[in-house]
Amino acid sequence: SSGINAEWSLRPGDSVNKVIGIHQLSQSLLPAIVELAEDPKWRVRLAIIEHMPLLAEQLGVEFFDEKLNSLCMSWLVDGVFAIRSAATSNLKKLVSIFGLEWAQNTVITKVLSMARDPNYLHRMTTLFAINVLAEVCPPDVISKFMVPVISNLAADAVPNVRFNVAKTMALIVPSLDAQTVEFQIKPCLSKLYDDEDMDVKYFAHEALVLCH
């Protein structure tokens, strides 16, 4: 455990490799990380998530993708909202570290596929992940990959998903070109504005205001 404690005390800028070495990390610390990542206490899982960007930065993309990427994706469907929320923020940090090409190849496709998940909480996580990923993705990626998925979720049977669609659209509108807003976002929001659910109607109205 002393190795784990030493690792957790690292500050940004410190080198994991210098402290414990990549081989030792792989052999001894990594199994502990994986075990703690599935700890029944959600605050323990949260602590592990918060250290992922530092580990990613120090260990590099190849090691991360092989050993830790699947772990980060699994947190997106955790049973605790705080973990799912932290996992989405973690994705944004990882994209900032590894770059857009990495995100398109390994993260964005997986996140967007969750929009078809039978569990509505996971479908909502897709929207929450889009909210943070849109901050680090260029407009063409948002328009081409994210907008169609968001639009499809506008017809979701669960009102909570539908009003989160409106909230997500409000967030991404400033990043989109006028044509995308006019022909894809506004028609979708207009339908949501006619929704029978008052929350859906409210957030659709809020988003429509931003489109003008």
Side-chain angles (χ1 to χ4, degrees), residues 61 64 110 135 150 160 179-180 204:
V61 65
F64 182 85
K110 290 179 183 177
E135 296 179 26
I150 301 167
N160 275 22
Q179 190 172 6
T180 301

Side-chain angles (χ1 to χ4, degrees), residues 127-201:
L127 294 169
F128 298 150
I130 288 173
N131 293 348
V132 297
L133 288 172
E135 296 179 26
V136 291
C137 289
D140 61 313
V141 171
I142 299 172
S143 298
K144 183 178 180 180
F145 298 105
M146 299 181 183
V147 168
V149 172
I150 301 167
S151 299
N152 286 339
L153 286 172
D156 199 277
V158 179
N160 275 22
V161 175
R162 298 200 301 277
F163 80 64
N164 274 289
V165 165
K167 291 170 77 170
T168 294
M169 286 185 167
L171 283 172
I172 66 171
V173 158
S175 301
L176 300 174
D177 62 272
Q179 190 172 6
T180 301
V181 172
E182 187 65 31
F183 295 106
Q184 295 186 61
I185 300 298
K186 285 175 71 173
C188 189
L189 287 172
S190 295
K191 287 182 181 179
L192 290 173
Y193 183 65
D194 292 332
D195 199 280
E196 60 187 21
D197 185 275
M198 294 305 295
D199 287 329
V200 176
K201 184 185 291 286

